[in-house]
Amino acid sequence: MKKRILSLFIVVSAIICVYSNLYSAEKVYMPFFELINVHADYQYSVARLFKNYVDEQGRYILIIPQRADSLIAQPPLNEIRETAKSNDCSFFIVADMNRIGETVIISVSMYKTENSQLIWKDRLKANTPDDIDPILQKLSRVIGTEHKAAEDGDIYSVTSYESQQLKQIHSISAFGISIGGALLMSNPFIDDPFSGGGGIFWSYDIRTVLFEVDAQSYFLGSYSVGHLSIDVYRPFFAESSTPFLGGGLGFGYTTGASNGQGNGMMLFVGGGYIFGRTADVGLRVRAQYMLGAFKVENTEKSLPHGFMLNMELYFGK
């Protein structure tokens, strides 16, 4: 007897809960989706499915028109508002499906019936017809909130559009050689500041940025200075010949010049000009200021710093 009473109590409680949710849910009117380059068969089926998902959430009851035998044009905004008023709806929705190529863009906007104020809108892209169902689920969960459907984390409503791999920008790689000189402006190098040399570098051009691995050594003088660094440069223009500006960080060293030995991190700032950026073989001029983050041996405060100027030839792939 007690089990029967308990079962009856649970059923009655569930019924009361359902009716209370329906009573507290606000009514929202939505005409059929406006279809742009989409087959007419989708108009009623999509609206009906969206209604089911919205009603399941319990916050709103979606009111849609009766099914029609042919494609229905979406009424003007003021006419939709009047229909929402006549159905005692607090809000109304304007939605469309727009196909561009193989992608269908689904847009939904929600307005207050009282003053036609836009209170919520969202948009998602469907890559295949199978994406439409999870998109409608996502939109139904965030309708009228501050959240975006694209941020919905439900693992069972991932679209094929969302699962696409990001398209990569292919870089243009190049190997180059350089010849030039260094001019150190700090003790103990200042009495004989110039040293000649050169080096090699690997460059990766992704159109808006140049990434480089740079190895230079200047040893044709009374001292030697060199470095291995990673540099980043920004071209000024999207043209074959353009100036560029940037800098880098690496490991450097100095030797010779009366105990002028030291090694450690080096900072580089500079720029130059590229000739024939899109050609298989290119030429550029590059100038850099270098500053070592280490003290030279037998000097109290001397940090090696100075300038480098190179003429560089590179071979692209």
Side-chain angles (χ1 to χ4, degrees):
M1 184 67 178
K2 290 182 179 180
K3 290 183 178 180
R4 290 182 180 179
I5 294 174
L6 181 60
S7 300
L8 181 61
F9 176 76
I10 292 174
V11 171
V12 171
S13 299
I15 294 173
I16 293 173
C17 182
V18 169
Y19 275 98
S20 63
N21 285 337
L22 289 174
Y23 182 77
S24 61
E26 295 184 278
K27 291 199 295 183
V28 181
Y29 175 72
M30 185 187 76
F32 292 134
F33 280 70
E34 181 179 10
L35 303 183
I36 306 169
N37 297 327
V38 178
H39 196 277
D41 289 348
Y42 283 94
Q43 191 168 58
Y44 178 77
S45 62
V46 169
R48 183 68 192 184
L49 186 59
F50 188 51
K51 170 181 168 56
N52 293 341
Y53 288 142
V54 171
D55 291 351
E56 285 177 4
Q57 298 302 312
R59 292 182 292 113
Y60 301 105
I61 299 174
L62 195 61
I63 309 298
I64 62 174
Q66 295 294 321
R67 182 172 187 173
D69 295 330
S70 59
L71 184 68
I72 299 176
Q74 192 173 83
L77 195 68
N78 59 342
E79 188 175 326
I80 298 174
R81 179 190 176 195
E82 291 302 319
T83 307
K85 279 185 178 181
S86 64
N87 284 277
D88 296 323
C89 296
S90 304
F91 307 95
F92 64 90
I93 285 176
V94 177
D96 64 69
M97 297 175 62
N98 187 1
R99 180 181 176 183
I100 301 176
E102 296 302 318
T103 302
V104 176
I105 303 170
I106 301 176
S107 304
V108 182
S109 301
M110 186 174 181
Y111 300 83
K112 277 187 177 180
T113 304
E114 180 183 2
N115 53 14
S116 297
Q117 178 186 355
L118 177 66
I119 62 168
W120 174 84
K121 65 178 179 179
D122 207 344
R123 180 185 299 112
L124 284 178
K125 295 180 180 180
N127 203 41
T128 68
D130 291 338
D131 284 346
I132 295 176
D133 178 61
I135 283 176
L136 296 179
Q137 292 183 51
K138 288 173 178 285
L139 290 169
S140 70
R141 284 193 286 266
V142 300
I143 184 172
T145 70
E146 296 179 354
H147 303 292
K148 289 292 185 181
E151 300 170 356
D152 182 76
D154 185 77
I155 62 173
Y156 297 106
S157 56
V158 177
T159 67
S160 62
Y161 186 88
E162 292 173 321
S163 63
Q164 288 185 114
Q165 292 184 349
L166 294 177
K167 294 183 179 179
Q168 293 182 328
I169 297 175
H170 292 286
S171 64
I172 301 173
S173 60
F175 170 78
I177 57 175
S178 63
I179 185 170
L183 189 69
L184 290 184
M185 308 300 293
S186 56
N187 289 323
F189 312 103
I190 196 167
D191 294 333
D192 190 8
F194 180 79
S195 186
I200 58 176
F201 62 91
W202 292 265
S203 177
Y204 299 89
D205 187 342
I206 62 168
R207 298 170 179 80
T208 56
V209 179
L210 304 175
F211 296 102
E212 295 192 357
V213 177
D214 192 22
Q216 303 290 333
S217 181
Y218 305 94
F219 51 87
L220 300 177
S222 60
Y223 67 89
S224 295
V225 60
H227 68 270
L228 176 65
S229 66
I230 296 176
D231 305 327
V232 180
Y233 295 106
R234 174 79 176 185
F236 281 28
F237 309 112
E239 298 177 2
S240 179
S241 298
T242 177
F244 61 91
L245 191 65
L249 185 66
F251 182 84
Y253 71 90
T254 60
T255 61
S258 303
N259 297 323
Q261 184 172 343
N263 59 75
M265 299 302 295
M266 269 191 172
L267 177 69
F268 304 91
V269 178
Y273 199 92
I274 306 174
F275 300 91
R277 182 181 172 193
T278 56
D280 291 339
V281 179
L283 181 70
R284 72 181 188 182
V285 179
R286 179 169 56 144
Q288 290 177 291
Y289 172 76
M290 57 180 171
L291 174 63
F294 56 91
K295 292 181 180 180
V296 176
E297 185 178 311
N298 294 332
T299 62
E300 294 182 0
K301 298 182 179 180
S302 179
L303 298 178
H305 66 92
F307 297 91
M308 297 176 293
L309 178 64
N310 289 314
M311 182 73 72
E312 300 173 337
L313 185 68
Y314 63 90
F315 308 90
K317 293 182 180 180

